[in-house]
Amino acid sequence: MRALAAAAVGITQASDAWDTVSDSFCDEDGRSADETGYANGKVPRDAAAWEHVETFLAHGARGSRRSTGRRDRGRLRRRAGQR
């Protein structure tokens, strides 16, 4: 669970850091004033967030399958009249 919590924090930090940078590429109305700079800035943001997403997928997906498997086995046993 610590790995998942740390991954969530990392994703949030990458997004929050981008909010500050993206504002510098926009005019007062919030429209992009520098399309190239804005597009180029998204690449490092996505890369930073993706590192944490990979951690989340590695730990979260494995844990989800494991717990779902136990529940499914329990349901099958109950249907078959077993414990």
Side-chain angles (χ1 to χ4, degrees), residues 18 21-28 30-42:
W18 170 248
V21 172
S22 68
D23 289 346
S24 69
F25 293 112
C26 297
D27 61 17
E28 293 97 28
R31 294 187 193 115
S32 180
D34 179 0
E35 291 290 329
T36 303
Y38 188 84
N40 291 340
K42 292 190 311 185

Side-chain angles (χ1 to χ4, degrees), residues 69-83:
R70 278 188 238 129
R71 277 185 290 197
D72 291 343
R73 283 192 302 270
R75 276 190 220 128
L76 292 172
R77 286 184 191 133
R78 282 191 295 280
R79 285 184 190 161
Q82 301 171 352
R83 288 262 169 207

